[in-house]
Amino acid sequence: MEPDVEPDVETEAGKGDDAAGEQTPRPISDIAFTPAVKKQQEKNGSRRGYARMEAGQGWSNEIDENVKAYVESRTSFYLATANAEGQPYIQHRGGPAGFLRVLDPRTLAFADFAGNRQYISTGNLTENGKVFLFLMDYQNKQRIKIWGTAEVREDDSDLLARLMPEGYRARPERAYVIRVEAWDANCPQHIPVMYPEDQVVEAIGLLQNRIQGLEAELAALRGLPEAD
């Protein structure tokens, strides 16, 4: 959801030199807000609001403690890569909570478990290191987007041992290490509310036990034998 802004255009942050002739740092959000994107923002009236964002706190390229907790509580995420020709590919990655690890404020990593052996993401990364992660929390209607560059480590047994979730019965083949270039949190609009299966099963079990208890109380009040 884009901010409610006036249809006005401001000077783009990070373009041109300052009075001393030094290059003004480009905002981190320029990783996504390319000139073509900014042109569309101008056309549709949102550029002014995003220019204010760029001049203020803006996006970050460091994972703070709140985002770290969010990342490491995910049991799945979507990973986007592209080949040298720009052909995109998106893949679902899953595992126990904590399988996607924050190694430091600028680095994420996860173990690549044996799967269908297509190796599309792995192959793409040999040609184009750019990646995009989309992390969804359907239960709380939250999402975080992460831009970065990735490298595939094939023979780092120490790192793989560090990344493997304890007790998880999967075979790791390699490690993905991601350098965080930017992250942003989206609004919750249109995110469907969904709950993990184990929570749903637990809730249904509690309801079934409660129903059985109420049926027993009703049968006793009526002087009827309890149902088996």
Side-chain angles (χ1 to χ4, degrees), residues 16 21 30 69 83 109 113 117 132 159 174 178:
D30 270 11
N83 62 22
F113 307 130
R117 303 180 67 82
F132 177 82
L159 179 59
R174 61 191 57 79
I178 300 165

Side-chain angles (χ1 to χ4, degrees), residues 27-43:
I28 292 172
S29 54
D30 270 11
I31 194 170
F33 295 168
T34 63
V37 171
K38 290 181 181 181
K39 184 176 181 179
Q40 289 300 310
Q41 292 173 352
E42 292 169 357
K43 176 182 177 181

Side-chain angles (χ1 to χ4, degrees), residues 136-142 191-196 199:
M136 297 292 298
D137 180 352
Y138 292 102
Q139 181 177 347
N140 296 299
K141 300 186 67 173
Q142 296 177 340
I191 299 178
V193 177
M194 294 186 287
Y195 291 88
Q199 293 186 18

Side-chain angles (χ1 to χ4, degrees), residues 10 13 27 50-58:
E10 291 186 351
Y50 285 117
R52 286 199 300 266
M53 178 272 290
E54 293 164 358
Q57 184 175 357

Side-chain angles (χ1 to χ4, degrees), residues 104-193:
D104 62 54
R106 294 292 307 276
T107 310
L108 308 178
F110 64 93
D112 181 29
F113 307 130
N116 59 18
R117 303 180 67 82
Q118 290 185 340
Y119 303 118
I120 299 175
S121 298
T122 302
N124 284 350
L125 289 173
T126 66
E127 301 180 332
N128 183 347
K130 293 182 179 180
V131 294
F132 177 82
L133 282 68
F134 204 89
L135 284 70
M136 297 292 298
D137 180 352
Y138 292 102
Q139 181 177 347
N140 296 299
K141 300 186 67 173
Q142 296 177 340
R143 52 189 172 187
I144 287 181
K145 305 179 295 186
I146 300 175
W147 287 260
T149 56
E151 63 170 313
V152 178
R153 298 188 184 177
E154 298 279 359
D155 300 309
D156 194 335
S157 58
D158 291 338
L159 179 59
L160 274 180
R162 181 181 176 187
L163 295 175
M164 275 301 296
E166 184 177 357
Y168 188 52
R169 300 183 65 180
R171 180 169 60 86
E173 292 187 331
R174 61 191 57 79
Y176 279 51
V177 180
I178 300 165
R179 177 71 171 174
V180 176
E181 303 294 342
W183 69 266
D184 180 40
N186 273 112
C187 73
Q189 188 176 25
H190 303 310
I191 299 178
V193 177

